[in-house]
Amino acid sequence: MQILALNSSPRDNQTSKTELILQKFLAGTRQAGATTETIYLRDHRIEHCLGCFSCWTNTPGRCIQDDDMTNELIDRFLAADLVVLATPLYFGNINARLKVFLERTLPIYDPAKFDFSQGSDEPKAILPLRFERHPRIVALSVCGFPDPESFKLLCPTMQMIYGSYLVAEIYRDSSEFMDVPQFQPQMEQVLAATVRAGVEVVQQGRVGENTMANLTQPLAPAAELIAIMQQTWPQ
Ligand SMILES: Cc1cc2nc3c(=O)[nH]c(=O)nc-3n(C[C@H](O)[C@H](O)[C@H](O)COP(=O)(O)O)c2cc1C
């Protein structure tokens, strides 16, 4: 299985908590035999979608813009068996950098293939697909606050776009406590469960309940974490 990970954090790899969780997950997939590659969207020139619909009309399946998305990234996305979309939670949803990337995947959809029939078992995404291939998707995100409800908008966003192509969702809160020394015992369990999640996605196509419970476990009671936050930021 060829796995492509897209990390949309602007932070360097030593600081980014998206990167921390992502790389543990990918390590698990490699343990189960997958090959992995990570693309950092911050390193690429990806223009905004122009909304011209040329990719649906004059140049079907291809964007008219000359940038890394057209020349490289969209082909790498389509060639993967599984794509991990890894994003920090910004204002309750995927960050703008990932959103720009996703909107630029418009060429892979084909409006002429709309199928209004019900009950098909075929995997479905937000729009009918132009090409035979589409990767399975894993959504992965971290957020700063100690509240798993923080992902309540991101989760339906990913489900709406990818439908049954979305095979796993890894959402981890309390990201800014991940390197606090007193929470390292809990973090060891969280990171071990994240590796396990990678193994399970390759071997079973999904993350098991027990693994997810360990991965999302609270690092401490929320009130304790909020008190630490309040002491940390300048008053
Ligand atoms: C612009 C911005 C918006 C954010 N919005 C949220 C949010 O809505 N909820 C939350 O819990 N954390 C929020 N955070 C915190 C980040 O999710 C957190 O710092 C996370 O670790 C960032 O991922 P990274 O370390 O991979 O860059 C926000 C951070 C920034 C910079």
Side-chain angles (χ1 to χ4, degrees):
M1 186 188 283
Q2 300 263 16
I3 299 181
L4 178 69
L6 302 174
N7 181 347
S8 65
S9 172
R11 284 172 154 181
D12 65 78
N13 290 351
Q14 283 65 50
T15 317
S16 167
K17 306 304 187 302
T18 307
E19 176 71 0
L20 174 67
I21 298 298
L22 172 63
Q23 293 307 326
K24 291 291 174 187
F25 177 80
L26 293 178
T29 66
R30 286 193 297 270
Q31 276 180 25
T35 57
T36 68
E37 193 179 356
T38 305
I39 290 176
Y40 299 93
L41 295 183
R42 61 177 178 264
D43 295 338
H44 290 272
R45 191 166 70 82
I46 306 172
E47 302 295 342
H48 285 252
C49 175
L50 297 172
C52 65
F53 288 113
S54 290
C55 63
W56 283 6
T57 54
N58 298 337
T59 57
R62 190 168 171 88
C63 178
I64 57 167
Q65 299 196 71
D66 181 12
D67 66 358
D68 291 354
M69 192 68 191
T70 302
N71 297 328
E72 175 193 348
L73 299 178
I74 198 157
D75 289 338
R76 289 171 77 181
F77 177 91
L78 283 172
D81 298 310
L82 187 133
V83 170
V84 185
L85 298 173
T87 175
L89 190 83
Y90 277 7
F91 284 18
N93 217 315
I94 62 175
N95 72 354
R97 203 183 295 268
L98 180 60
K99 189 71 165 32
V100 170
F101 177 93
L102 296 186
E103 289 170 7
R104 289 290 306 284
T105 62
L106 196 66
I108 72 177
Y109 301 102
D110 183 352
K113 291 188 182 161
F114 270 117
D115 172 8
F116 295 100
S117 62
Q118 301 291 312
S120 164
D121 287 337
E122 289 297 302
K124 282 210 167 69
I126 187 171
L127 289 165
L129 299 170
R130 180 181 302 278
F131 308 114
E132 295 277 305
R133 269 184 81 86
H134 188 285
R136 296 293 189 265
I137 302 290
V138 171
L140 184 153
S141 186
V142 305
C143 79
F145 292 123
D147 181 4
E149 287 292 302
S150 304
F151 299 101
K152 66 181 180 218
L153 291 175
L154 185 148
C155 174
T157 300
M158 300 309 276
Q159 290 174 352
M160 180 204 55
I161 299 173
Y162 289 111
S164 47
Y165 287 94
L166 186 65
V167 293
E169 296 172 90
I170 312 277
Y171 301 139
R172 178 60 237 187
D173 64 56
S174 309
S175 62
E176 298 301 350
F177 302 93
M178 287 178 179
D179 44 19
V180 174
Q182 75 197 78
F183 302 125
Q184 290 319 294
Q186 294 87 336
M187 272 311 292
E188 275 176 32
Q189 292 177 16
V190 168
L191 296 179
T194 309
V195 174
R196 183 80 209 138
V199 171
E200 290 175 357
V201 162
V202 173
Q203 290 182 343
Q204 301 157 25
R206 57 183 289 277
V207 180
E209 273 175 33
N210 197 32
T211 300
M212 194 52 88
N214 283 322
L215 199 162
T216 55
Q217 66 179 279
L219 299 185
E224 189 184 323
L225 297 175
I226 288 167
I228 295 173
M229 268 170 62
Q230 285 166 341
Q231 286 160 17
T232 308
W233 294 102
Q235 300 298 308

